[in-house]
Amino acid sequence: MLGNDVKNRILGLINETAYKPMPIDELVMIFAEDKIEKSEVKALVQEMFEDGELFINKKGKVGSLKSYSMVKGRYGFTRKTFGFVTSEKDNSDIYIDSDDRNGAFDGDTVLVKITKEPTGRMNKEGVVIKILERANREIVGLFHENNSFGFVIPDNKKFDNDIFIPKKYFSGAKNNDKVVCKIEVWPDDKKKPEGIITEIIGQSGERFVEIDSIVRSHGFQEEFPEKVIAQLEMIENKVKPNEIEGRLDLREKMIYTIDGDDSKDFDDAISVEILDNGNYELGVHIADVTHYVKENSPLDREALRRGTSVYMVDKVIPMLPQKLSNGICSLNPHVDRLTLSCIMEVNPQNAKVVRHVISESVIRSNARLTYHEVSEFLENKDKSLIENIDDPERAEELFDSLRNAGVLSELLRKNRFKRGAIDFDFPESKIILNKNGYPIEISPYERRVSNKLIEEFMLLANETIAEHFFWLKTPFVYRVHELPDNEKVTILKEYLNELDIMLRISKGGIRPSDLQRVLDSIEDFEIKQAVGSIMLRTLRQARYSPECLGHFGLAATYYCHFTSPIRRYPDLQIHRIIKEQISGKLSDKRITHYENILYGVSDQSSVLERKAEMAERDVDDYYKAVFMSDKVGDEFEGHISGITNFGIFVELPNGVEGMISLDSLSDYYIYNERSRTLVGETTKKVYKIGQKHKVKLIKVEVETRKIDFSFIQK
């Protein structure tokens, strides 16, 4: 069996400048001597072609993707007459006309041949040559039955084809059922894809059916495989004495958790005290999940497949089973728990970490505190949370720790913004359901001093861990947020100019502090919120990478995700590396192992994170539509949150957003893409982002999660 060494040598050769594409048999002879080796190398080259690592043309000549003007990437459907492929190598976008997608669907990994280089603001153009991997082999949608056949209309509108279902594959589905459909035949010559019904979720319109459909349509499911359940049975519910041996024993320290009122898994705890030299000692103690989730075990493979937990209004699709997430891995109060601790000494003069220790540890949390309780204590000196302490004599010790934590977090926060981090701290809405699961209220999340306290401590631990392992030069997974694209920055600057807002770009290129200055200059909250939303779309998406590329939004040179291994796979992955390094077990063999897997782990985790975010947003939108469904005809105050060439989006104070179609306006409006404004041809009336308006709710489609408003004319 050939290893990565031969693959790397092949890639090294074909990517050399002097290399010219050659027949596959000639290439094989360079890397193999006997008949068996030749057969293996040829199979490897073919496998690399199927994976999109190289290209073989119709004449059988092997070359690099670059030599054939090919790019590997992910196809994205736009609901228009075109799509884009995002390059796997540099995240650039390649324009794909609908006639050139050649059977690609949203999310598919493809090879694209570049047909036109970029000019001005125009992207590269290309044509899909080969589909390497299908993103969606199972589709969730609405089943319709005809006499001799049926079809499924996908819930995911980016999957822009109905699926043909032969009658023998109905599997008991009835008209108007929400179903899961497995695609068996992909379209060719513009025919529809064909599939079979594999699961019936239930009748469309029922709440649990709709929620389950959303979850399944994004590729998530609640049930764990039998092998995972079997592995769980071998895990104890309590920490055993032999598991504590060799660990840093912190059970006598004042350590506590601070989480939301309804939280059930606690994967981070903190300790704060002032040292004799006047410095702060901040301990961030994270559940040692990898002690129970061994590499390549059924639990580990399933966690990697899920990538993240999905948090919805009324339930969680966990990355790990509840026995771990709510049990032995949850830092519940008054019980021993295994942890991985990052203990940092912080100088109060400059809020810098002057010394740190990373260690396997054991803790016994003294209290399970809530954000509300801690905020009430720090803001209003309310000591009622004393009830959470086992030993009342330690109450004052807890209060001192909380006071110190409050002061330290404010020092860290000021230091972070001083170095230039962006503050996108806009309110998010919380949907409250009654006992029957019906939304009865939508209100802003409470973000008070305690929420910000925990945020600052977790950020500091993440930065400290990332910097530590960067200088050790070990394989690692970083959380990266790269510099924004220059072209998008130019467009943002032009947009702000239209609003008479100046974006001054620092010498040497855009910095996060440049964007923060813009936000600080805007007094009107709705305009600031709208501009912040445009800024977010200008920035690149944060992602995971084995390369330390910095975090633009946080103005951080080193950053990772260390603090949530219960709900994020990258955190769990780096815990494994951290533990091997501090125990001296990170051998050359293990380093090579991590070098081989971390690009795949990072990419998969980034993709799954996006899917989870979309699932969470879709569930929120469903409940918002249900909440608004009995309010048709009511009037509301709102502000313009977005403008397109087909409609105006208006957001209400509770976060509900709806659209006003341009067709419903009395005048003909001209769309200015640069300023994102609309100007009436006759009236010269201008609509722009941030404007406040009264609107009437005219229509709600719960199934499509669509809300329509109309302006109330003054």
Side-chain angles (χ1 to χ4, degrees):
M1 191 74 176
L2 297 173
N4 283 316
D5 178 57
V6 176
K7 180 186 286 190
N8 291 334
R9 286 165 57 202
I10 291 171
L11 290 173
L13 173 63
I14 67 174
N15 281 295
E16 286 182 2
T17 306
Y19 176 83
K20 302 294 182 193
M22 65 175 64
I24 188 169
D25 289 336
E26 291 183 21
L27 180 67
V28 166
M29 290 174 66
I30 298 172
F31 297 95
E33 296 181 2
D34 58 42
K35 190 174 181 180
I36 294 175
E37 275 190 353
K38 287 177 182 177
S39 176
E40 289 181 348
V41 172
K42 192 169 186 176
L44 177 61
V45 172
Q46 191 64 40
E47 180 184 311
M48 293 168 72
F49 170 58
E50 296 299 327
D51 290 342
E53 295 178 90
L54 50 75
F55 191 73
I56 304 174
N57 68 10
K58 291 180 180 179
K59 295 181 179 179
K61 291 188 176 183
V62 183
S64 66
L65 297 186
K66 185 177 180 180
S67 67
Y68 284 117
S69 299
M70 298 284 183
V71 172
K72 181 181 179 181
R74 187 171 282 109
Y75 177 77
F77 177 66
T78 64
R79 301 195 195 184
K80 297 180 182 178
T81 59
F82 59 88
F84 288 95
V85 168
T86 302
S87 169
E88 195 177 80
K89 186 175 182 181
D90 60 12
N91 276 336
S92 63
D93 287 335
I94 301 149
Y95 173 91
I96 308 293
D97 188 86
S98 59
D99 291 334
D100 295 327
R101 62 189 280 192
N102 293 327
F105 285 89
D106 188 70
D108 288 351
T109 303
V110 299
L111 273 187
V112 174
K113 183 171 181 64
I114 303 301
T115 56
K116 189 176 181 181
E117 291 298 326
T119 55
R121 290 187 179 177
M122 301 301 293
N123 293 75
K124 292 178 184 177
E125 295 182 18
V127 55
V128 175
I129 297 298
K130 183 178 177 63
I131 296 165
L132 301 171
E133 184 179 0
R134 293 289 185 181
N136 302 290
R137 293 190 174 275
E138 285 193 336
I139 300 294
V140 175
L142 188 64
F143 178 70
H144 285 284
E145 181 180 359
N146 285 337
N147 292 330
S148 58
F149 67 92
F151 56 95
V152 172
I153 302 172
D155 283 356
N156 180 3
K157 301 310 174 189
K158 288 193 171 186
F159 195 96
D160 59 322
N161 262 254
D162 299 344
I163 299 118
F164 175 83
I165 310 293
K167 192 161 189 173
K168 62 181 178 179
Y169 295 131
F170 284 7
S171 305
K174 297 181 179 64
N175 212 35
N176 216 38
D177 272 347
K178 281 292 181 78
V179 299
V180 180
C181 163
K182 183 180 179 183
I183 297 177
E184 294 287 301
V185 180
W186 290 94
D188 189 22
D189 296 330
K190 304 202 175 185
K191 291 181 181 178
K192 289 184 182 296
E194 294 184 21
I196 61 175
I197 306 298
T198 58
E199 185 179 340
I200 300 166
I201 300 174
Q203 271 284 297
S204 174
E206 296 177 8
R207 180 171 72 93
F208 290 113
V209 171
E210 294 299 325
I211 298 302
D212 287 348
S213 295
I214 290 170
V215 171
R216 292 299 303 274
S217 70
H218 289 285
F220 297 100
Q221 62 187 62
E222 293 186 67
E223 297 77 17
F224 285 88
E226 290 182 8
K227 288 184 178 180
V228 171
I229 304 303
Q231 186 181 349
L232 284 177
E233 293 176 1
M234 297 184 286
I235 296 175
E236 299 280 349
N237 291 316
K238 293 182 179 180
V239 174
K240 294 178 288 187
N242 67 304
E243 294 176 301
I244 295 172
E245 293 175 11
R247 288 178 176 264
L248 180 63
D249 193 337
L250 302 173
R251 286 176 290 181
E252 296 304 312
K253 260 194 178 294
M254 175 53 66
I255 294 175
Y256 45 90
T257 61
I258 307 176
D259 291 275
D261 290 351
D262 53 358
S263 295
K264 293 182 174 60
D265 56 10
F266 316 115
D267 52 6
D268 57 81
I270 61 169
S271 57
V272 183
E273 59 186 87
I274 297 180
L275 302 173
D276 292 340
N277 62 5
N279 288 348
Y280 287 91
E281 183 183 86
L282 167 63
V284 174
H285 315 282
I286 309 299
D288 187 358
V289 179
T290 59
H291 181 81
Y292 305 98
V293 182
K294 302 301 183 184
E295 186 176 34
N296 208 33
S297 66
L299 268 170
D300 183 48
R301 290 195 296 271
E302 182 65 13
L304 177 58
R305 190 188 71 78
R306 293 178 179 228
T308 181
S309 294
V310 187
Y311 291 86
M312 293 171 292
V313 176
D314 58 345
K315 67 177 179 180
V316 176
I317 308 295
M319 184 180 80
L320 296 171
Q322 285 192 358
K323 182 174 180 179
L324 295 181
S325 61
N326 294 6
I328 192 65
C329 290
S330 186
L331 306 183
N332 300 324
H334 320 310
V335 291
D336 291 351
R337 287 291 184 258
L338 304 181
T339 46
L340 196 54
S341 295
C342 180
I343 302 172
M344 298 157 281
E345 183 178 336
V346 183
N347 184 330
Q349 304 303 316
N350 56 16
K352 300 284 188 184
V353 176
V354 295
R355 185 182 65 86
H356 69 274
V357 172
I358 304 167
S359 179
E360 291 180 284
S361 54
V362 57
I363 70 166
R364 184 181 294 151
S365 172
N366 294 98
R368 179 270 199 258
L369 307 179
T370 68
Y371 289 128
H372 178 75
E373 289 172 332
V374 175
S375 292
E376 284 297 308
F377 172 73
L378 293 176
E379 295 170 5
N380 304 318
K381 299 182 173 55
D382 180 356
K383 293 186 176 182
S384 62
L385 53 83
I386 191 171
E387 298 169 4
N388 291 284
I389 302 296
D390 254 4
D391 182 359
E393 293 181 7
R394 298 195 72 182
E396 281 305 321
E397 186 182 353
L398 171 67
F399 296 148
D400 284 343
S401 179
L402 288 172
R403 290 186 194 99
N404 292 331
V407 175
L408 175 59
S409 67
E410 188 58 29
L411 290 172
L412 293 173
R413 186 172 174 82
K414 286 179 179 177
N415 183 62
R416 184 160 60 86
F417 289 128
K418 183 180 178 182
R419 78 186 185 197
I422 309 173
D423 182 13
F424 286 124
D425 189 14
F426 298 119
E428 296 180 12
S429 56
K430 180 178 183 180
I431 300 169
I432 299 169
L433 308 179
N434 64 15
K435 62 181 181 180
N436 298 318
Y438 188 88
I440 55 173
E441 183 184 347
I442 302 177
S443 56
Y445 268 112
E446 184 182 67
R447 267 187 58 78
R448 295 168 65 186
V449 62
S450 63
N451 304 72
K452 296 173 182 178
L453 179 153
I454 290 298
E455 181 180 84
E456 292 304 326
F457 292 170
M458 298 304 116
L459 287 172
L460 188 66
N462 287 336
E463 289 186 50
T464 302
I465 293 285
E467 182 173 5
H468 180 97
F469 280 85
F470 173 80
W471 290 111
L472 285 178
K473 301 192 182 303
T474 62
F476 210 63
V477 176
Y478 298 93
R479 179 68 168 178
V480 303
H481 188 215
E482 294 147 283
L483 290 169
D485 178 74
N486 288 334
E487 188 63 36
K488 288 188 176 181
V489 171
T490 301
I491 294 170
L492 173 64
K493 188 173 183 179
E494 290 175 355
Y495 160 68
L496 293 172
N497 286 341
E498 295 282 344
L499 297 179
D500 295 322
I501 299 172
M502 180 67 70
L503 171 59
R504 292 184 174 88
I505 297 176
S506 299
K507 187 177 180 180
I510 187 79
R511 293 180 183 174
S513 55
D514 300 334
L515 300 180
Q516 187 58 48
R517 273 197 303 272
V518 168
L519 293 174
D520 291 341
S521 71
I522 303 171
E523 294 183 2
D524 185 281
F525 177 77
E526 281 78 13
I527 294 176
K528 179 183 287 192
Q529 192 173 354
V531 168
S533 177
I534 299 293
M535 279 185 180
L536 279 171
R537 290 198 286 271
T538 298
L539 302 179
R540 298 183 194 271
Q541 286 186 307
R543 62 187 179 91
Y544 297 103
S545 172
E547 299 177 71
C548 185
L549 304 174
H551 196 292
F552 179 82
L554 294 172
T557 306
Y558 317 97
Y559 196 65
C560 70
H561 275 170
F562 161 74
T563 53
S564 294
I566 284 178
R567 63 182 180 90
R568 294 187 303 226
Y569 193 83
D571 305 51
L572 189 148
Q573 177 67 81
I574 69 168
H575 273 226
R576 199 168 277 140
I577 296 170
I578 292 167
K579 289 177 64 177
E580 288 185 34
Q581 195 279 327
I582 61 180
S583 65
K585 295 178 181 178
L586 195 61
S587 63
D588 289 345
K589 183 178 179 181
R590 293 296 292 165
I591 287 173
T592 300
H593 165 70
Y594 286 125
E595 287 173 343
N596 289 336
I597 69 168
L598 291 187
Y599 277 97
V601 167
S602 299
D603 186 54
Q604 182 167 320
S605 298
S606 299
V607 170
L608 290 168
E609 176 186 48
R610 309 266 188 278
K611 287 188 174 185
E613 289 170 353
M614 289 188 288
E616 291 165 357
R617 186 182 64 225
D618 285 351
V619 170
D620 280 359
D621 288 347
Y622 169 77
Y623 278 114
K624 287 176 180 178
V626 172
F627 178 75
M628 298 296 286
S629 61
D630 63 355
K631 298 171 179 60
V632 173
D634 290 359
E635 297 179 0
F636 304 90
E637 291 273 3
H639 74 274
I640 294 178
S641 55
I643 292 179
T644 68
N645 59 1
F646 57 85
I648 300 169
F649 291 89
V650 174
E651 184 176 332
L652 306 185
N654 62 6
V656 170
E657 189 176 58
M659 192 187 81
I660 297 170
S661 171
L662 296 192
D663 294 338
S664 69
L665 302 179
S666 56
D667 197 1
Y668 176 77
Y669 281 82
I670 300 166
Y671 176 58
N672 184 328
E673 188 174 6
R674 285 175 61 184
S675 62
R676 291 181 173 84
T677 58
L678 288 165
V679 180
E681 189 175 53
T682 304
T683 62
K684 303 303 177 187
K685 184 176 179 62
V686 178
Y687 290 110
K688 60 183 179 180
I689 289 175
Q691 281 181 344
K692 298 174 184 67
H693 287 275
K694 272 195 168 186
V695 296
K696 178 187 282 190
L697 180 63
I698 59 172
K699 188 179 181 182
V700 177
E701 293 180 4
V702 173
E703 286 186 13
T704 59
R705 306 183 283 279
K706 186 181 177 187
I707 297 171
D708 290 337
F709 291 127
S710 66
F711 284 123
I712 297 173
Q713 301 302 326
K714 296 179 181 179

